[in-house]
């Protein structure tokens, strides 16, 4: 087995050896989305009341009522459409991502809060996977605190890069270049494949930036780097020197992501149903969320394993492990 397979399996093992992290980020996801779900529920209850439509909605899916509700709704209510059911939600999110579609401000705010929480946790998560041993709560959150403001500075760089990609670059590819490519095209099939090719190109650009920023975080944590621009440069150097392995590992991680998507497509609940079917659909949906989060963590852990294999050694982290009562948490208590 080559280095890519070894580090991928090592990354999987590191994630599986720290189930508390997976459970924690799942609970975090639930905590962010639950207020939105409760707000949506209140809007639906207010609109339905005790009407006949309420009985029909409780026993299945009333598409006419859903359209009526979405037409008069505001805020998060406008997202209540058939595309939120089952695998359609995955396709809708992918379409919105690739087409750079806007979302309601309440969704954007919730997404921003979710990203901020991930920025806070990223340092502790990568530190745990890099050390590959239990750190306990004080060690984990000490690492979170150490790298939070560093990763906030990195987030500014990421925002600038992704703003360029989803702004100027996306507009140039899909507004100007696509129009130029299909100006004299008479076949819809040709136009379709041209757009798919641009989607693939745009996806590669986004993936490339994501790869660089992933290794930036890994090098920042493992080597205790304070300069995020220096960490970005170090990440670029590592990828340049280990291009084949880094790209192949990213592709393998992405294949795991696609496998999760494919599995969910086969078992995703359809519209309708009541009672036990509703709870079954809810359980399947939460298992899918857990699987998606697991894959995200495997990305970080496997990339950490590859970096340590090539430039350090397994379990090496430059920053000393905080021990109670010398950790920042203990100092804040005293």
């Amino acid at each position: 087995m080559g280095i890519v397979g070894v580090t991928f399996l090592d990354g999987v093992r590191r994630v599986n050896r720290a189930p508390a992290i997976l459970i924690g980020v799942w609970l975090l996801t639930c905590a962010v989305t639950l207020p939105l779900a409760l707000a949506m529920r209140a809007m639906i209850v207010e609109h339905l009341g005790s009407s006949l439509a309420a009985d029909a909605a409780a026993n299945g899916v009333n598409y006419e009522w859903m359209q009526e509700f979405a037409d008069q709704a505001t805020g998060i209510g406008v997202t209540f459409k058939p595309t939120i059911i089952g695998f359609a939600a995955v396709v809708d999110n992918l379409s919105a991502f690739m087409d750079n579609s806007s979302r309601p401000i309440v969704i954007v705010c919730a997404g921003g809060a979710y990203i901020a929480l991930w920025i806070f946790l990223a340092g502790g998560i990568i530190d745990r996977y890099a050390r590959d041993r239990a750190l306990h709560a004080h060690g984990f959150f000490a690492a979170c605190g150490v790298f939070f403001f560093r990763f906030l500075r990195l987030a500014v760089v990421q925002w600038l890069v992704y703003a360029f990609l989803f702004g100027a670059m996306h507009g140039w590819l899909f507004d100007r270049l696509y129009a130029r490519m299909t100006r004299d095209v008479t076949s819809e099939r040709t136009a379709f494949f041209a757009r798919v090719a641009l989607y693939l190109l745009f996806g590669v650009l986004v993936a490339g930036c994501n790869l660089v920023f992933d290794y930036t975080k890994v090098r920042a944590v493992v080597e205790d780097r304070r300069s995020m621009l220096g960490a970005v440069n170090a990440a670029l150097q590592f990828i340049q020197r280990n291009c084949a392995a880094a790209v192949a590992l990213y592709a393998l991680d992405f294949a795991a992501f696609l496998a999760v998507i494919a599995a969910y497509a086969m078992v995703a609940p359809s519209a309708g149903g009541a009672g036990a079917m509703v709870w079954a659909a809810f359980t399947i949906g939460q298992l899918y969320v857990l699987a998606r989060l697991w894959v995200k963590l495997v990305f970080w852990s496997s990339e950490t394993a590859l970096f340590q294999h090539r430039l350090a050694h397994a379990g090496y982290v430059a920053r000393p492990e905080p021990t109670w009562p010398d950790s920042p948490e203990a100092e804040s208590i005293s």
Side-chain angles (χ1 to χ4, degrees):
M1 184 181 296
I3 181 63
V4 174
V6 169
T7 52
F8 175 77
L9 293 178
D10 189 17
V12 169
R13 181 185 60 81
R14 295 186 190 198
V15 172
N16 293 341
R17 280 168 55 91
I21 291 180
L22 177 59
I23 295 173
V25 294
W26 174 71
L27 291 174
L28 173 68
T29 304
C30 293
V32 172
T33 56
L34 183 59
L36 300 178
L38 293 176
M40 178 72 79
R41 178 184 181 276
M43 295 176 68
I44 293 173
V45 170
E46 180 181 0
H47 187 266
L48 281 175
S50 58
S51 63
L52 293 176
D55 295 333
N59 294 323
V61 176
N62 188 328
Y63 290 106
E64 293 182 0
W65 171 79
M66 291 182 73
Q67 185 63 49
E68 176 188 343
F69 176 84
D71 289 341
Q72 60 82 42
T74 58
I76 191 175
V78 301
T79 65
F80 190 71
K81 301 176 181 178
T83 53
I84 67 172
I85 300 174
F87 190 70
V90 178
V91 177
D92 181 61
N93 288 332
L94 177 61
S95 175
F97 175 80
M98 296 304 294
D99 290 329
N100 196 22
S101 302
S102 61
R103 293 295 194 185
I105 186 63
V106 64
I107 300 294
V108 174
C109 291
Y114 189 59
I115 291 172
L117 290 170
W118 269 100
I119 292 173
F120 172 72
L121 294 174
I125 292 173
I126 297 175
D127 186 74
R128 169 62 178 85
Y129 293 150
R131 297 182 191 275
D132 197 19
R133 61 180 181 273
L135 299 176
H136 305 293
H138 65 274
F140 176 81
F141 286 108
C144 291
V146 166
F147 292 101
F148 175 59
F149 291 102
R150 302 182 195 181
F151 285 171
L152 272 182
R153 299 199 304 271
L154 177 63
V156 175
V157 179
Q158 290 180 271
W159 183 86
L160 292 173
V161 171
Y162 288 124
F164 170 76
L165 282 178
F166 285 91
M169 180 60 68
H170 190 280
W172 181 78
L173 286 175
F174 295 99
D175 294 336
R176 298 182 183 179
L177 183 58
Y178 177 72
R180 192 178 307 167
M181 292 171 62
T182 58
R183 180 178 303 164
D184 300 321
V185 172
T186 57
S187 171
E188 292 185 1
R189 183 177 182 180
T190 303
F192 169 77
F193 283 114
R195 194 165 187 87
V196 169
L198 292 180
Y199 279 143
L200 291 175
L201 175 60
F202 183 70
V204 169
L205 292 175
V206 173
C209 293
N210 186 48
L211 179 67
V212 171
F213 289 128
D214 275 358
Y215 280 103
T216 298
K217 294 185 180 77
V218 169
R219 296 207 68 159
V221 172
V222 174
E223 299 175 312
D224 194 22
R225 289 177 175 265
R226 287 168 171 77
S227 170
M228 291 300 97
L229 292 179
V232 170
N233 183 58
L236 288 170
Q237 292 178 358
F238 176 79
I239 295 171
Q240 181 181 7
R241 295 170 183 170
N242 303 273
C243 184
V247 172
L249 179 60
Y250 190 90
L252 189 56
D253 289 330
F254 188 73
F257 167 76
L258 293 180
V260 169
I261 297 292
Y264 182 61
M266 291 187 290
V267 300
S270 58
M277 292 299 296
V278 173
W279 287 108
F282 174 78
T283 301
I284 292 172
Q286 292 308 304
L287 289 175
Y288 167 68
V289 172
L290 272 170
R292 284 282 302 271
L293 292 171
W294 180 85
V295 170
K296 179 179 178 64
L297 296 175
V298 168
F299 267 89
W300 281 352
S301 61
S302 60
E303 289 164 343
T304 301
L306 177 62
F307 172 72
Q308 289 180 319
H309 182 87
R310 286 295 172 89
L311 292 187
H313 60 78
Y316 169 78
V317 178
R319 189 179 65 87
E321 180 180 342
T323 57
W324 190 270
D326 297 323
S327 66
E329 284 80 2
E331 294 176 2
S332 64
I333 293 174
S334 60

